Amino acid sequence: MLKNLFRPRPGARTGHDLYALAVAQARTVDFYTRLGVEDRIDARFELYTLHVLLLVLRLRDEKTSQGQDAAQSLFDVYVSALDHALREEGVGDVSVGKKMRKLGEALYGRMNAYEAPLRNGDAAAMAEALARNVYADAAAERAGDLARYALATRAGMAAQQFNEVLAKPAWAEV
């Protein structure tokens, strides 16, 4: 009985692996050099969120319990990583809850802003949302390029088999 309590859930490892893939892609230097994303904590949060969301949407599109579980596991790992990052930055236990609430609101805001344009292939709406969130400038010149990247990634992952996405998502070229 106790063995089952402490045994890792089968999908938990999947969430960690997918999160590592999303983070590695979001750290690609071309986002910062070629697409002009500033190397700031908030801009990195935006790129991590974009990449996690691209994976979550693809996993949810699978419409199987395996896809839903993988998407939830990835999301849970991401939220846990945000909490961990706050604690590493020295945020005290009393303040973590407030900061996590703000980050959670931002995360859900990004999901709402990006999901419809990604699902509908709407480059203009996606560029507008990315300009506002990633670049913090409604007139950001490179937001259209980042939007095209996100839409190309979405299309590339849609063409992959589920197990291929889990192993190596089809990230578009930056």
Side-chain angles (χ1 to χ4, degrees):
M1 179 96 162
L2 285 178
K3 281 196 272 185
N4 291 337
L5 180 64
F6 296 107
R7 185 179 333 163
R9 294 184 330 249
R13 183 76 252 150
T14 299
H16 286 281
D17 293 345
L18 288 168
Y19 178 69
L21 292 168
V23 167
Q25 182 64 17
R27 288 181 176 168
T28 301
V29 73
D30 286 345
F31 288 115
Y32 305 95
T33 58
R34 197 164 157 259
L35 296 185
V37 175
E38 291 186 32
D39 190 12
R40 300 183 328 259
I41 289 174
D42 56 333
R44 278 182 261 145
F45 164 78
E46 297 295 343
L47 284 179
Y48 291 3
T49 300
L50 174 64
H51 287 87
V52 167
L53 178 59
L54 285 163
L55 278 170
V56 165
L57 288 176
R58 170 56 184 91
L59 297 169
R60 284 185 183 161
D61 288 346
E62 197 64 25
K63 299 198 187 325
T64 64
S65 62
Q66 188 181 15
Q68 304 307 307
D69 291 348
Q72 187 62 52
S73 179
L74 171 57
F75 183 81
D76 292 347
V77 168
Y78 184 43
V79 170
S80 178
L82 291 174
D83 180 90
H84 184 73
L86 286 175
R87 292 175 190 279
E88 278 189 349
E89 290 294 317
V91 176
D93 287 339
V94 175
S95 299
V96 166
K98 291 177 187 176
K99 294 214 182 257
M100 280 302 295
R101 181 174 176 224
K102 278 184 127 176
L103 282 173
E105 289 170 359
L107 180 59
Y108 282 109
R110 297 325 177 261
M111 291 180 144
N112 287 331
Y114 300 157
E115 185 171 3
L118 285 169
R119 289 196 183 281
N120 299 328
D122 187 343
M126 190 68 193
E128 182 181 317
L130 291 169
R132 185 176 57 249
N133 296 317
V134 175
Y135 294 96
D137 178 4
E141 293 179 22
R142 305 310 304 234
D145 295 331
L146 185 55
R148 283 186 286 282
Y149 161 82
L151 292 170
T153 295
R154 172 100 171 119
M157 284 188 205
Q160 285 185 294
Q161 294 294 319
F162 179 72
N163 288 332
E164 292 173 338
V165 174
L166 295 178
K168 188 175 183 213
W171 305 114
E173 193 170 322
V174 180

